[in-house]
């Protein structure tokens, strides 16, 4: 497993003060795999996601993405600022609240990573950025500021911004939770398209029907531990654990994706 | 009823102009140096290293919580005795006013930086930026917009605070007008004219800044 896996997490632990948020988590994502992380709020799924690109620094265990591995805990030194930055450049992340840069146009948002981090020439970065914007269906919004976009459009720009770094893996932190219901579909469509192109992804989501459709593996977390794990459809349709069943009973588990309003 | 006679001030026009030049020049120096101290103080208080944080905090509170008039006198009279540093009145007052202003600028700059949503620096970090790059490219451009009104306000106060350097016999506008008032026995006219001169410089400036703020707000 570990030879083919793109992301490998071993015995991961994290506490905030006395609150133990992650207790001995193991996770493997194969190359091109899509893993959905579900669970009630406070279960640690967002923290786990943020440990993958080290936005949150774990207290113990190890994180490997591609060929880069970090160990944490007794005796291991925290990676320095430069190492961390280089590592994060290879992982794309999409946030619940978009976190677009409001002082830059859509195009400048997408160019920012390639120009500042990769030191790419402006002209090349612009070509790349325009291509990424076209991919998420927002080519014509290039010169607008984020404030003028809808939530769904903002999130698609945020995805384009992450993709412009040509990351090995993409991490989605409740990417549709802050959106109006009618805007969820357009963002999920983009994520689904990425999945079909073979992007390795970890998706924290409350869209159970979407997880069932797009993810090949599903992990249900509660109170900082993995309660149940398996093929997405199997876990959603026939959960083994009582806690998983209880959680899933709050959702419509099947059915089509929310209708996608055509990219606009 | 007092008989106003502003005509008499014309005799002292070169004195006033000289004083005004010193006042404006002084303000430029203490605003620039003050902003520099302010930047150092702000980054100091935001530093991850505790000793640096404490040092910056000590600087800010020492200068923010003592009167500027006392600081001026202290820098000129006490520092030479305590530290053996002999300073001209101009150096002593420029230093005191810069540090005093810097302590207030520090708090304005720090406040501007921490007012930017944490998600912004997270997004920068997630793209692979170093903390320095995130600060320069993402946080500061947004924070500066928010700081400008407060920085301008503090700079206006700094401009007026230069009037205190007259206690160290620095020949600024107020000092020169004292000379003129003693010579002409016309303190009412003199000090009225001085007040008008300060306002005449500051009011256009405030209008300019208000316009600039509106232009900056458009891109948000």
């Amino acid at each position: 497993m570990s030879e083919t896996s793109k992301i490998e997490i071993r015995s991961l632990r994290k506490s905030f003060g006395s609150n133990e948020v992650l207790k001995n988590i193991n996770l493997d994502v194969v190359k091109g795999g899509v893993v959905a992380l579900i669970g009630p709020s406070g279960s640690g799924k967002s923290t786990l996601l943020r440990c993958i690109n080290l936005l949150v620094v774990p207290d113990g265990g190890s994180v490997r993405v591609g060929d880069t591995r970090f160990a944490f805990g007794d005796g291991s030194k925290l990676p320095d600022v430069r190492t961390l930055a280089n590592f994060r450049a290879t992982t794309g992340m999409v946030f619940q609240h978009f976190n677009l840069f409001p002082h830059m146009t859509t195009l400048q948002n997408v160019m920012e990573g390639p120009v500042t981090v990769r030191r790419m020439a402006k002209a090349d970065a612009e070509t790349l950025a325009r291509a990424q914007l076209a991919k998420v269906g927002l080519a014509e919004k290039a010169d607008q500021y984020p404030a003028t976009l809808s939530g769904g459009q903002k999130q698609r720009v945020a995805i384009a911004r992450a993709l412009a770094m040509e990351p090995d893996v993409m991490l989605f932190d409740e990417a549709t939770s802050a959106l109006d219901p009618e805007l969820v579909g357009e963002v999920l469509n983009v994520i689904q398209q990425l999945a079909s192109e073979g992007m390795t992804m970890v998706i924290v989501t409350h869209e159970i029907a979407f997880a069932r459709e797009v993810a090949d593996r599903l992990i249900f977390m509660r109170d900082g531990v993995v309660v149940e794990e398996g093929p997405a459809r199997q876990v959603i349709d026939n959960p083994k654990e009582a806690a998983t069943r209880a959680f899933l009973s709050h959702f419509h588990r099947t059915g089509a994706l929310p209708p996608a309003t055509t990219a606009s | 009823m007092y008989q106003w006679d502003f005509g008499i001030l014309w005799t002292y026009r070169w004195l006033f102009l000289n004083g005004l030049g010193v006042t404006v020049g002084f303000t430029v120096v203490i605003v620039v140096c003050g902003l520099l101290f302010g930047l150092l103080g702000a980054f100091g208080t935001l530093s991850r290293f505790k000793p640096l944080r404490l040092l910056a905090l000590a600087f800010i509170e020492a200068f923010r919580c003592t009167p500027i008039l006392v600081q001026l006198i202290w820098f000129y009279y006490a520092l030479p005795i305590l530290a053996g540093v002999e300073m001209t009145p101009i150096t002593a007052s420029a230093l005191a006013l810069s540090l005093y202003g810097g302590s207030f600028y520090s708090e304005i700059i720090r406040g501007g930086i921490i007012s930017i949503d944490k998600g912004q620096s997270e997004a920068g970090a997630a793209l692979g930026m170093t903390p320095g790059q995130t600060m320069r490219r993402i946080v500061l451009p947004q924070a500066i917009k928010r700081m400008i009104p407060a920085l301008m306000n503090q700079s206006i106060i700094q401009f007026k605070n230069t009037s205190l350097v007259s206690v160290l016999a620095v020949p600024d506008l107020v000092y020169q007008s004292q000379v003129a008032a003693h010579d002409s026995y016309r303190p009412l006219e003199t000090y009225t004219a001085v007040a008008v001169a300060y306002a005449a410089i500051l009011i256009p400036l405030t209008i300019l800044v208000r316009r600039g703020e509106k232009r900056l707000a458009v891109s948000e």
Side-chain angles (χ1 to χ4, degrees):
Chain A
M1 182 96 181
S2 64
E3 277 88 48
T4 57
S5 66
K6 191 83 184 167
I7 301 175
E8 180 196 271
I9 286 173
R10 290 288 173 268
S11 338
L12 201 72
R13 285 183 294 103
K14 178 66 189 178
S15 301
F16 293 116
S18 61
N19 181 17
E20 201 175 4
V21 185
L22 296 176
K23 305 164 184 168
N24 193 29
I25 301 278
N26 296 293
L27 170 73
D28 286 280
V29 186
V30 295
K31 191 171 183 337
V34 178
V35 170
L37 281 177
I38 64 167
S41 51
S43 58
K45 55 193 192 304
S46 277
T47 306
L48 172 57
L49 192 77
R50 281 155 179 268
C51 282
I52 299 177
N53 70 349
L54 304 183
L55 271 189
V56 170
V57 179
D59 298 332
S62 70
V63 172
R64 179 177 67 75
V65 175
D67 301 324
T68 318
R69 184 175 175 277
F70 296 100
F72 302 92
D74 306 328
S76 51
K77 202 157 65 85
L78 282 183
D80 65 85
V81 160
R82 179 58 62 179
T83 312
L84 268 181
N86 288 342
F87 171 66
R88 290 189 189 124
T90 65
T91 62
M93 184 173 239
V94 175
F95 299 87
Q96 180 177 357
H97 296 290
F98 329 125
N99 299 352
L100 290 179
F101 307 134
H103 57 302
M104 300 179 185
T105 63
T106 298
L107 184 70
Q108 288 167 337
N109 264 276
V110 182
M111 286 170 63
E112 185 58 27
V115 170
T116 303
V117 178
R118 296 246 188 270
R119 307 265 170 226
M120 193 184 278
K122 280 249 166 74
D124 297 340
E126 186 178 332
T127 312
L128 170 68
R130 286 194 190 278
Q132 294 300 347
L133 282 174
K135 184 174 175 155
V136 298
L138 291 172
E140 77 283 10
K141 303 283 185 191
D143 298 319
Q144 293 192 17
Y145 282 92
T148 65
L149 304 180
S150 73
Q153 292 170 336
K154 282 182 194 167
Q155 197 58 297
R156 281 146 66 198
V157 172
I159 294 172
R161 180 176 67 180
L163 289 176
M165 291 299 286
E166 294 168 328
D168 293 339
V169 302
M170 282 286 281
L171 311 171
F172 290 88
D173 190 4
E174 301 199 25
T176 59
S177 297
L179 296 178
D180 291 339
E182 77 272 19
L183 302 177
V184 168
E186 63 186 65
V187 172
L188 294 185
N189 269 0
V190 172
I191 301 175
Q192 190 164 35
Q193 187 196 334
L194 282 177
S196 66
E197 290 168 6
M199 176 65 82
T200 309
M201 299 196 280
V202 182
I203 302 173
V204 171
T205 186
H206 288 298
E207 301 285 340
I208 303 297
F210 174 73
R212 185 178 178 279
E213 213 56 44
V214 174
D216 29 58
R217 291 189 71 74
L218 187 116
I219 290 171
F220 174 68
M221 286 182 69
R222 204 180 72 168
D223 300 330
V225 293
V226 172
V227 175
E228 189 166 350
E229 177 180 5
R233 282 178 189 233
Q234 186 187 309
V235 175
I236 290 169
D237 296 344
N238 298 301
K240 289 196 187 67
E241 303 291 328
T244 318
R245 271 199 297 279
F247 178 73
L248 287 172
S249 70
H250 300 296
F251 298 91
H252 296 291
R253 285 172 249 179
T254 51
L257 290 181
T261 37
T262 34
S264 57
Chain B
M1 186 63 194
Y2 184 75
Q3 285 293 313
W4 293 91
D5 178 15
F6 282 101
I8 193 143
L9 298 179
W10 186 247
T11 333
Y12 304 99
R13 60 192 182 280
W14 297 115
L15 202 62
F16 285 127
L17 264 169
N18 250 321
L20 195 64
V22 170
T23 293
V24 170
F26 225 87
T27 306
V28 171
V29 169
I30 64 167
V31 165
V32 170
C33 295
L35 283 171
L36 232 66
F37 286 129
L39 219 52
L40 288 177
F43 284 118
T45 50
L46 294 171
S47 163
R48 273 172 298 173
F49 304 104
K50 201 172 178 189
L52 206 57
R53 279 208 305 276
L54 290 177
L55 191 73
L57 207 67
F59 151 66
I60 290 168
E61 299 309 355
F63 283 91
R64 199 162 66 141
C65 301
T66 51
I68 178 61
L69 193 55
V70 175
Q71 289 171 24
L72 281 168
I73 294 168
W74 198 89
F75 266 71
Y76 185 59
Y77 294 105
L79 214 54
I81 298 167
L82 293 175
V85 193
E86 202 73 47
M87 281 186 289
T88 64
I90 291 187
T91 318
S93 34
L95 194 61
L97 275 167
S98 298
L99 288 166
Y100 176 79
S103 69
F104 285 93
Y105 288 137
S106 285
E107 286 298 282
I108 295 168
I109 293 169
R110 187 185 67 90
I113 290 172
I114 62 171
S115 80
I116 301 301
D117 179 40
K118 200 165 153 271
Q120 290 288 308
S121 18
E122 281 185 351
L127 282 177
M129 292 189 191
T130 60
Q133 286 172 330
T134 306
M135 184 55 73
R136 269 198 315 282
R137 300 281 309 165
I138 310 300
V139 177
L140 275 185
Q142 297 179 58
I144 284 170
K145 275 186 211 169
R146 299 189 187 178
M147 295 172 198
I148 281 176
L151 287 178
M152 192 60 204
N153 200 36
Q154 189 58 42
S155 301
I156 287 172
I157 296 173
Q158 284 290 83
F159 180 65
K160 297 190 294 177
N161 276 346
T162 56
S163 61
L164 295 169
V165 301
S166 56
V167 298
L168 300 186
V170 175
D172 78 318
L173 183 57
V174 168
Y175 181 84
Q176 300 291 37
S177 57
Q178 281 168 6
V179 174
H182 288 160
D183 190 61
S184 63
Y185 301 108
R186 287 285 180 176
L188 266 67
E189 283 85 349
T190 312
Y191 289 117
T192 307
V194 166
V196 169
Y198 276 98
I201 289 177
L202 284 180
I203 289 169
L205 265 179
T206 59
I207 292 170
L208 217 67
V209 171
R210 258 180 238 278
R211 277 204 200 139
E213 260 173 59
K214 270 188 202 136
R215 209 152 12 94
L216 280 170
V218 174
S219 63
E220 280 254 5

